[in-house]
Amino acid sequence: MKKAFLLIGAMIAMTACGNKNVFMEKWDSPDGTAPFSKITTADYLPAVKEGIKEQKAEIDAIIACPDAPTFENTIAAYELSGKLLSKVTGVFYNISESDSTPEIQKIEEEITALTTAADDEIFMNDKFFARVKAVYEASEGLDREQQMVTKKLYDRFVRNGVALDEAGKARFAEINSSLAALSQKFGNNLLAENNAFKEAIGVTVSAYPSFMGSCEDRALREKAFKAYSSRGNNANENDNNEIVLQILKLKTEQANLLGYNTAAEYLLANKMAGNPSTVDAFLAPIMDASMRKAKEEIADMQKVMDADIAAGKLPKGSKIQPWDWAFYAEKVRKAKFDLDDEETKPYFQIDSVRKGLFYAAEKLYGIKVEPAPDVEVYNPVVKAYRLLDADGSLLGIFYADYFSRETKRGGAWMNNFREQYLDADGKDVRPIIVNVCNFPPATDETPSLLTIDEVQTAFHEFGHALHGFLTKCRYVDVSGTNVARDFVEMFSQFNENWAFQKEILSVYANNYRTGEPIPDALVEKINRSLKFNQGFMTGELCAASILDMRWHELTLPELEAFKTADDIRAFEEKVCKEMGLIDEIIPRYRTTYFNHIFNSGYSAGYYGYLWSEVLDVDAFEKFKEDGLFNPETALSFRKTFLEKGGSEEPMTLYRSFRGADPNPSALLRARGLE
């Protein structure tokens, strides 16, 4: 039956398009990687249309199957559908995020509209849902992975309004289309604002933290802070205020259609936390603890500022302001730990850090990483690698795209060009994964050198990649990082723990000028300093999480009361005051540049970083108890978590590994907030 569905798709692909399109051809490139040099922008849209047509035929064949619904002829058949569409969008959306152009943005508008409508056609199809429901209601005889795949597919129908009447379905689909377009517009506006920031200040948004920590000119720091914190809120063509309100209203209306009072209730129903009150109760004590620590940090910084006042560098009465925090925090760190980024950066040249990433993975999980010069890349600065298991079998292809450029959106992320799954013949199709960052490129004088925070970012994103590479699932919907949003960050944050372990540093941290290994004394300083400034670091992260929740906890009538940008700003200020955020700190992301929640799937989910950190820190304590590189513990972590993906409930997996529920106080201990 499965081969029949694939044959239908192949026939459609061969006959539907007279012009040669690289996506409609079988790629004979190494390991099925994209032949980027053969792809043109003109290929994307026709291939997406053909992919949608192909998947529709596959779904129609599932519905028309005369046999009673079973897992194999319904759920598994769906899992194997849409491979051409996945092939195209896997390339296109990665390119649109990392190498965007006006032409790509225009194509993205059309593709997003088409794929959104196609998804709605599938997940509002009563006949298809009837088959899925029949399998779901008789799923006791399935194995656990099959049960999880079936439940996930069933829930997707329900959460996409399949049970609504025809008018409700039409409105739900209309909202989906509008949200897709608005989210894309939000992201494009933010990219333009980020580039405008660079034009005005002279540094990229990604370099902003380092700039603020080293800039001696207080007036310039203030200018940079105000430009950074007002992105998307400048009453220009890139203003995001109205877009934010439209997105929030539409999400809340969708939630109402499904019987939820707020967007947060709907969005959290399928997460580990389950509901807004659980998230709010989780965040409140973290916020309180971080603000207590932040007030101590201000006192330390004010002493240094007072010395500058006494030296005539600043006017009398000067107090720490938000644009002063990074600058004076660096001075305090220098005084407390005799440490600053200029001392450590020579040891963290990007190629060396990458070597450390790979070595840590090898030491923990026995894998090998080799350069793949035969694999094409989409940009000359991108590097390609093969990951091999201890037995030499392929785990997948890895692209490292580390340097900032104007065509790349800000931040850092992991994504798949291709997911892992078993094909119709039972062959294990291995993933193709990219890590995208915005590290400073090399200059004429120096190679790319990373700060301590940037080293942690590199390890973080490679943690996501390892989650994708080490998965051993049969079905796409639960493989790799396809887990609950408040679970997925556990594995990336867990991988950060290895960045500054002495055994790992001894392999990769060599001075790029002299080749000398990083001194033990400097390693000690780095590790002691990791808990430094955690009042600020935790506070701004927690504040953004609470701001995210408060926006999504509003009812539709409450949102209708917002009319202007001033209303949005007033709400932000009210929320910050209520949460206890001190005036010297702002949320890590303010509303108009909060890309995670308005363009990246973290709506009512930004708390997931802290939620997952509880799991990561508690899991790492087991490694410390057993020995950091205990092979049995590492193997248990790999088999329990990394191989399982979403094929089991997160807490079931966690208890299997740890033997108990995670201890929330582990997070406060790890951050030095207790």
Side-chain angles (χ1 to χ4, degrees), residues 145-190:
E145 182 175 346
Q146 291 172 335
Q147 289 175 346
M148 290 294 289
V149 172
T150 302
K151 182 180 186 301
K152 193 169 185 177
L153 184 57
Y154 174 85
D155 287 347
R156 188 170 177 185
F157 275 95
V158 173
R159 290 174 63 80
N160 202 57
V162 72
L164 297 173
D165 60 23
E166 290 307 310
K169 285 182 181 179
R171 180 56 185 155
F172 203 97
E174 184 180 13
I175 291 173
N176 278 341
S177 178
S178 296
L179 284 173
L182 288 166
S183 295
Q184 182 190 340
K185 178 63 174 169
F186 183 98
N188 290 342
N189 284 352
L190 184 54

Side-chain angles (χ1 to χ4, degrees), residues 258 278 339 396 403 494 511 542 599 622 663:
L258 295 179
T278 298
L339 180 72
F403 304 122
F494 174 82
N511 189 297
C542 192
N599 186 41
K622 178 168 176 57
N663 183 354

